[in-house]
Amino acid sequence: MITSIQKNKWDSYVARSKKLLLWGLQHGYISIYSNELINKLRTIYDGGLPASILLLSKGMSSGHCYDRARLMARAFLNEDNDIKLIYASIDNLRLNPDYSSSTNPMETDHCFIEITSKENEPYIIDTSTGFIYHKKMYWLMEHPIVRRIDNKEEIIKSVELDKDYNPENIERDKYAAPLILPMIEMSYERPYEMYSWTGIELLQREIEHFKKVINYEDICKEIDRDMKKLGLKK
């Protein structure tokens, strides 16, 4: 049962976070993903879809921080930037009534990226929120209690071990696109999908780009023919 103290703490956190988010966006301490970053993500694949789609879709990212943070990290592994995967408890989970009563500390565990810019400025990329933060801004908003940090070398090793599960060659899994893309497209109008909002529409752009890359219509026709041969469709 949620206590009044838990509810008050959560309501206070939500109100404060909204104010800090708006202030951070207005003053340049928080930003959305840049076109430069999105273009890098186009060449990284997981399960037959490019990271540019998976990470622009909140429905495909929120709740999958361990996988999505590492997927995002792959965009920086061939660059000079210092990059880390940080595992930490954060206010967004720690104060959430759905988790705050849990005796399992992993219920409030989160994973995000710290990357140091060429100007030696540390930034945080949180794939669950879809924002990039100045590190001090993120710490002010979420007060992370860090339990583990993976450095660049450790991230590279883990990615190499996962090659069989996250192939860079999209041919093997491209037939998953007709199953997954329509579900993402149905979410365009949902309030939480900020990258599909009118005036932004980056998610729509990336899906249309990917469809051209894989000849999406031809794949759909091929699947349709196969289903008819198997008697699964008239």
Side-chain angles (χ1 to χ4, degrees):
M1 182 178 176
I2 300 172
T3 67
S4 59
I5 293 176
Q6 288 174 316
K7 185 178 184 305
N8 289 337
K9 284 184 176 180
W10 176 245
D11 290 344
S12 177
Y13 163 78
V14 171
R16 182 172 177 271
S17 292
K18 288 180 179 178
K19 290 179 181 178
L20 288 173
L21 177 62
L22 290 174
W23 187 90
L25 288 168
Q26 290 169 354
H27 292 85
Y29 290 96
I30 302 174
S31 63
I32 64 173
Y33 300 157
S34 67
N35 280 319
E36 180 184 1
L37 174 56
I38 293 170
N39 286 338
K40 292 177 186 177
L41 296 172
R42 284 180 174 181
T43 63
I44 299 168
Y45 295 90
D46 184 43
L49 292 180
S52 59
I53 291 176
L54 294 171
L55 294 172
L56 287 175
S57 168
K58 191 170 180 68
M60 298 298 291
S61 293
S62 185
H64 307 285
C65 62
Y66 298 144
D67 293 335
R68 296 303 182 237
R70 190 165 58 156
L71 187 63
M72 175 67 81
R74 288 165 62 184
F76 301 95
L77 295 182
N78 295 322
E79 299 181 358
D80 293 333
N81 308 59
D82 183 33
I83 183 168
K84 302 171 184 174
L85 278 181
I86 299 179
Y87 299 81
S89 169
I90 61 172
D91 281 354
N92 183 270
L93 296 173
R94 197 164 48 235
L95 299 178
N96 189 322
D98 291 337
Y99 306 107
S100 58
S101 297
S102 174
T103 57
N104 181 1
M106 295 304 291
E107 286 282 352
T108 61
D109 197 56
H110 189 50
C111 184
F112 51 88
I113 297 165
E114 179 181 326
I115 183 165
T116 304
S117 70
K118 295 176 182 178
E119 296 76 29
N120 208 34
E121 181 75 29
Y123 289 87
I124 299 298
I125 304 177
D126 190 327
T127 56
S128 291
T129 65
F131 289 114
I132 302 174
Y133 308 76
H134 280 244
K135 184 177 179 178
K136 289 182 179 179
M137 188 73 198
Y138 192 79
W139 249 249
L140 176 65
M141 295 177 72
E142 295 295 348
H143 306 101
I145 299 174
V146 178
R147 71 169 179 87
R148 171 182 157 188
I149 298 176
D150 287 354
N151 62 29
K152 191 171 187 177
E153 291 72 24
E154 290 169 323
I155 299 170
I156 291 172
K157 286 180 183 178
S158 69
V159 168
E160 288 175 346
L161 288 173
D162 263 4
K163 282 289 186 181
D164 290 339
Y165 301 98
N166 298 298
E168 299 300 331
N169 183 356
I170 66 170
E171 287 301 314
R172 193 178 80 173
D173 294 317
K174 68 181 181 181
Y175 298 102
L179 298 176
I180 301 173
L181 292 183
M183 292 190 294
I184 299 176
E185 290 171 323
M186 288 174 61
S187 73
Y188 284 163
E189 301 300 321
R190 294 176 183 172
Y192 58 76
E193 287 291 2
M194 67 175 184
Y195 282 107
S196 67
W197 288 354
T198 301
I200 299 178
E201 298 170 346
L202 291 173
L203 181 56
Q204 291 94 320
R205 183 192 71 183
E206 290 308 301
I207 288 179
E208 291 308 310
H209 171 79
F210 181 58
K211 284 182 175 181
K212 291 177 182 177
V213 169
I214 64 171
N215 295 313
Y216 182 76
E217 293 301 325
D218 289 341
I219 291 174
C220 290
K221 290 177 183 177
E222 184 178 338
I223 291 175
D224 190 63
R225 287 194 298 269
D226 290 344
M227 290 182 70
K228 287 179 179 178
K229 287 180 182 178
L230 294 170
L232 299 174
K233 190 174 182 180
K234 294 183 179 180

PDB file of all heavy atoms in Angstrom, residues 37-49:
ATOM      1  N   LEU A  37      24.020  12.424 -34.488  1.00  0.00           N
ATOM      2  CA  LEU A  37      23.934  11.193 -33.710  1.00  0.00           C
ATOM      3  C   LEU A  37      22.988  10.203 -34.375  1.00  0.00           C
ATOM      4  O   LEU A  37      23.303   9.009 -34.484  1.00  0.00           O
ATOM      5  CB  LEU A  37      23.452  11.502 -32.292  1.00  0.00           C
ATOM      6  CG  LEU A  37      23.166  10.304 -31.380  1.00  0.00           C
ATOM      7  CD1 LEU A  37      24.380   9.400 -31.272  1.00  0.00           C
ATOM      8  CD2 LEU A  37      22.715  10.770 -30.003  1.00  0.00           C
ATOM      9  N   ILE A  38      21.848  10.666 -34.830  1.00  0.00           N
ATOM     10  CA  ILE A  38      20.868   9.780 -35.472  1.00  0.00           C
ATOM     11  C   ILE A  38      21.461   9.112 -36.708  1.00  0.00           C
ATOM     12  O   ILE A  38      21.234   7.921 -36.959  1.00  0.00           O
ATOM     13  CB  ILE A  38      19.584  10.554 -35.826  1.00  0.00           C
ATOM     14  CG1 ILE A  38      18.863  10.997 -34.533  1.00  0.00           C
ATOM     15  CG2 ILE A  38      18.639   9.692 -36.669  1.00  0.00           C
ATOM     16  CD1 ILE A  38      17.723  11.956 -34.765  1.00  0.00           C
ATOM     17  N   ASN A  39      22.249   9.857 -37.474  1.00  0.00           N
ATOM     18  CA  ASN A  39      22.890   9.275 -38.660  1.00  0.00           C
ATOM     19  C   ASN A  39      23.853   8.154 -38.282  1.00  0.00           C
ATOM     20  O   ASN A  39      23.972   7.148 -38.990  1.00  0.00           O
ATOM     21  CB  ASN A  39      23.635  10.360 -39.437  1.00  0.00           C
ATOM     22  CG  ASN A  39      22.686  11.275 -40.201  1.00  0.00           C
ATOM     23  OD1 ASN A  39      21.549  10.896 -40.489  1.00  0.00           O
ATOM     24  ND2 ASN A  39      23.136  12.476 -40.517  1.00  0.00           N
ATOM     25  N   LYS A  40      24.551   8.289 -37.161  1.00  0.00           N
ATOM     26  CA  LYS A  40      25.430   7.215 -36.681  1.00  0.00           C
ATOM     27  C   LYS A  40      24.614   5.984 -36.314  1.00  0.00           C
ATOM     28  O   LYS A  40      25.019   4.847 -36.573  1.00  0.00           O
ATOM     29  CB  LYS A  40      26.218   7.681 -35.453  1.00  0.00           C
ATOM     30  CG  LYS A  40      27.256   8.756 -35.713  1.00  0.00           C
ATOM     31  CD  LYS A  40      27.906   9.162 -34.394  1.00  0.00           C
ATOM     32  CE  LYS A  40      28.853  10.328 -34.577  1.00  0.00           C
ATOM     33  NZ  LYS A  40      29.438  10.773 -33.282  1.00  0.00           N
ATOM     34  N   LEU A  41      23.465   6.213 -35.693  1.00  0.00           N
ATOM     35  CA  LEU A  41      22.628   5.107 -35.229  1.00  0.00           C
ATOM     36  C   LEU A  41      21.989   4.337 -36.375  1.00  0.00           C
ATOM     37  O   LEU A  41      21.574   3.188 -36.196  1.00  0.00           O
ATOM     38  CB  LEU A  41      21.544   5.649 -34.293  1.00  0.00           C
ATOM     39  CG  LEU A  41      22.051   6.275 -32.989  1.00  0.00           C
ATOM     40  CD1 LEU A  41      20.898   6.950 -32.238  1.00  0.00           C
ATOM     41  CD2 LEU A  41      22.729   5.237 -32.107  1.00  0.00           C
ATOM     42  N   ARG A  42      21.925   4.943 -37.564  1.00  0.00           N
ATOM     43  CA  ARG A  42      21.343   4.258 -38.721  1.00  0.00           C
ATOM     44  C   ARG A  42      22.137   3.020 -39.115  1.00  0.00           C
ATOM     45  O   ARG A  42      21.586   2.099 -39.729  1.00  0.00           O
ATOM     46  CB  ARG A  42      21.291   5.212 -39.921  1.00  0.00           C
ATOM     47  CG  ARG A  42      20.198   6.249 -39.874  1.00  0.00           C
ATOM     48  CD  ARG A  42      20.252   7.129 -41.114  1.00  0.00           C
ATOM     49  NE  ARG A  42      19.128   8.050 -41.182  1.00  0.00           N
ATOM     50  CZ  ARG A  42      18.927   8.906 -42.179  1.00  0.00           C
ATOM     51  NH1 ARG A  42      19.786   8.966 -43.191  1.00  0.00           N
ATOM     52  NH2 ARG A  42      17.873   9.710 -42.174  1.00  0.00           N
ATOM     53  N   THR A  43      23.411   2.977 -38.800  1.00  0.00           N
ATOM     54  CA  THR A  43      24.279   1.878 -39.238  1.00  0.00           C
ATOM     55  C   THR A  43      24.459   0.803 -38.176  1.00  0.00           C
ATOM     56  O   THR A  43      25.239  -0.122 -38.353  1.00  0.00           O
ATOM     57  CB  THR A  43      25.663   2.427 -39.635  1.00  0.00           C
ATOM     58  OG1 THR A  43      26.294   3.008 -38.479  1.00  0.00           O
ATOM     59  CG2 THR A  43      25.540   3.485 -40.724  1.00  0.00           C
ATOM     60  N   ILE A  44      23.756   0.937 -37.052  1.00  0.00           N
ATOM     61  CA  ILE A  44      23.841  -0.030 -35.959  1.00  0.00           C
ATOM     62  C   ILE A  44      22.501  -0.748 -35.858  1.00  0.00           C
ATOM     63  O   ILE A  44      21.456  -0.098 -35.808  1.00  0.00           O
ATOM     64  CB  ILE A  44      24.174   0.679 -34.626  1.00  0.00           C
ATOM     65  CG1 ILE A  44      25.523   1.396 -34.731  1.00  0.00           C
ATOM     66  CG2 ILE A  44      24.172  -0.311 -33.467  1.00  0.00           C
ATOM     67  CD1 ILE A  44      25.800   2.341 -33.583  1.00  0.00           C
ATOM     68  N   TYR A  45      22.525  -2.086 -35.846  1.00  0.00           N
ATOM     69  CA  TYR A  45      21.276  -2.848 -35.887  1.00  0.00           C
ATOM     70  C   TYR A  45      21.115  -3.774 -34.692  1.00  0.00           C
ATOM     71  O   TYR A  45      22.091  -4.267 -34.127  1.00  0.00           O
ATOM     72  CB  TYR A  45      21.220  -3.680 -37.177  1.00  0.00           C
ATOM     73  CG  TYR A  45      21.160  -2.843 -38.424  1.00  0.00           C
ATOM     74  CD1 TYR A  45      22.333  -2.453 -39.068  1.00  0.00           C
ATOM     75  CD2 TYR A  45      19.944  -2.408 -38.943  1.00  0.00           C
ATOM     76  CE1 TYR A  45      22.290  -1.665 -40.209  1.00  0.00           C
ATOM     77  CE2 TYR A  45      19.889  -1.622 -40.083  1.00  0.00           C
ATOM     78  CZ  TYR A  45      21.064  -1.255 -40.705  1.00  0.00           C
ATOM     79  OH  TYR A  45      21.015  -0.468 -41.817  1.00  0.00           O
ATOM     80  N   ASP A  46      19.873  -3.996 -34.332  1.00  0.00           N
ATOM     81  CA  ASP A  46      19.536  -4.960 -33.291  1.00  0.00           C
ATOM     82  C   ASP A  46      18.202  -5.594 -33.650  1.00  0.00           C
ATOM     83  O   ASP A  46      17.194  -4.903 -33.811  1.00  0.00           O
ATOM     84  CB  ASP A  46      19.441  -4.264 -31.927  1.00  0.00           C
ATOM     85  CG  ASP A  46      19.186  -5.255 -30.799  1.00  0.00           C
ATOM     86  OD1 ASP A  46      19.833  -6.317 -30.801  1.00  0.00           O
ATOM     87  OD2 ASP A  46      18.340  -4.991 -29.936  1.00  0.00           O
ATOM     88  N   GLY A  47      18.204  -6.899 -33.839  1.00  0.00           N
ATOM     89  CA  GLY A  47      16.973  -7.598 -34.198  1.00  0.00           C
ATOM     90  C   GLY A  47      16.391  -7.178 -35.526  1.00  0.00           C
ATOM     91  O   GLY A  47      15.177  -7.243 -35.725  1.00  0.00           O
ATOM     92  N   GLY A  48      17.254  -6.753 -36.454  1.00  0.00           N
ATOM     93  CA  GLY A  48      16.790  -6.387 -37.784  1.00  0.00           C
ATOM     94  C   GLY A  48      16.371  -4.948 -37.949  1.00  0.00           C
ATOM     95  O   GLY A  48      16.032  -4.522 -39.043  1.00  0.00           O
ATOM     96  N   LEU A  49      16.361  -4.162 -36.871  1.00  0.00           N
ATOM     97  CA  LEU A  49      15.987  -2.751 -36.948  1.00  0.00           C
ATOM     98  C   LEU A  49      17.177  -1.872 -36.587  1.00  0.00           C
ATOM     99  O   LEU A  49      17.979  -2.236 -35.721  1.00  0.00           O
ATOM    100  CB  LEU A  49      14.830  -2.439 -36.006  1.00  0.00           C
ATOM    101  CG  LEU A  49      13.467  -3.047 -36.335  1.00  0.00           C
ATOM    102  CD1 LEU A  49      12.448  -2.613 -35.285  1.00  0.00           C
ATOM    103  CD2 LEU A  49      12.994  -2.644 -37.714  1.00  0.00           C
TER     104      LEU A  49
END
